[in-house]
Amino acid sequence: SLYKAKYDVVSAGFADAADSAKILAATSKLAVGGVTSAANAADILTTALNAYGLSARSVNDVSDILFTTVKFGKTTMDELSATLGMVLPFARAAKLGLADVGAVMASLTAGGIRTAEATTALRGALTGLASPADAAKKAMEEAGIEVKRFDDGTLDILETVKQFVGMPPDAIRKFIPDVRAQLAIGA
């Protein structure tokens, strides 16, 4: 598993000896703490690093976020490894930080939504909020709903989603037509 992990780290673009050693050290810790293989740990770490354009110096922070997601969610490192890559590019494009992605995934999975469905729901919600269709954008404007951002421009997913609290599913559908994305908004 370590040989595959080393291969994955290098093929993900971290060929520098110091960088790959740093990532492999974090991989070993995450594999043990996350009860997964070194290959899966290396995969999810390098996927997250590359999705956010981070260097190997950030690997321990990324590992902590992923471990915390598993700790507080109802998911496993293997499930995250298999699915998280499908949402990270959308999250970065929407300017949603990795820690926030982890918090949303933990919340959704803890609420009973399976990891793969939660990933799909979050991706759909980010797409719907970041670039809503014309009708949805107009409905959001009329309802006074806006995408909230922090001062640095990153998406404040909690404050954005709070605007939908208490709305019945048919009302949310006007803003977020994707049924799976509604799971992330209405959860």
Side-chain angles (χ1 to χ4, degrees), residues 3-185:
Y3 289 119
K4 174 142 177 31
K6 172 69 173 165
Y7 175 81
D8 289 345
V9 168
V10 171
S11 69
F14 300 97
D16 178 77
D19 287 348
S20 63
K22 190 176 289 187
I23 293 172
L24 281 173
T27 291
S28 296
K29 290 177 189 174
L30 185 61
V32 172
V35 191
T36 190
S37 69
N40 280 347
D43 179 50
I44 194 168
L45 286 171
T46 57
T47 296
L49 288 169
N50 283 335
Y52 279 91
L54 300 172
S55 71
R57 283 181 297 212
S58 301
V59 73
N60 289 323
D61 294 334
V62 169
S63 180
D64 290 347
I65 290 167
L66 296 170
F67 182 79
T68 302
T69 301
V70 171
K71 179 180 177 183
F72 290 106
K74 189 176 167 187
T75 187
T76 66
M77 202 61 66
D78 288 340
E79 291 170 327
L80 283 179
S81 178
T83 62
L84 203 58
M86 294 186 302
V87 74
L88 293 180
F90 293 90
R92 183 178 182 196
K95 296 185 179 175
L96 180 65
L98 182 61
D100 294 321
V101 170
V104 171
M105 290 298 294
S107 177
L108 291 173
T109 58
I113 299 172
R114 289 181 296 168
T115 306
E117 291 173 6
T119 303
T120 301
L122 179 54
R123 183 181 65 207
L126 290 171
T127 301
L129 291 170
S131 54
D134 291 338
K137 186 176 184 174
K138 183 178 179 187
M140 287 172 68
E141 288 172 359
E142 289 173 356
I145 295 173
E146 63 180 325
V147 175
K148 304 285 185 176
R149 298 206 176 269
F150 292 108
D151 291 339
D152 66 359
T154 57
L155 177 64
D156 185 343
I157 192 79
L158 180 62
E159 290 302 315
T160 299
V161 171
K162 276 184 182 179
Q163 299 172 92
F164 296 94
V165 171
M167 286 186 185
D170 60 326
I172 294 174
R173 195 172 301 118
K174 289 188 281 188
F175 312 116
I176 308 292
D178 182 331
V179 175
R180 286 176 273 183
Q182 292 169 22
L183 285 173
I185 300 296

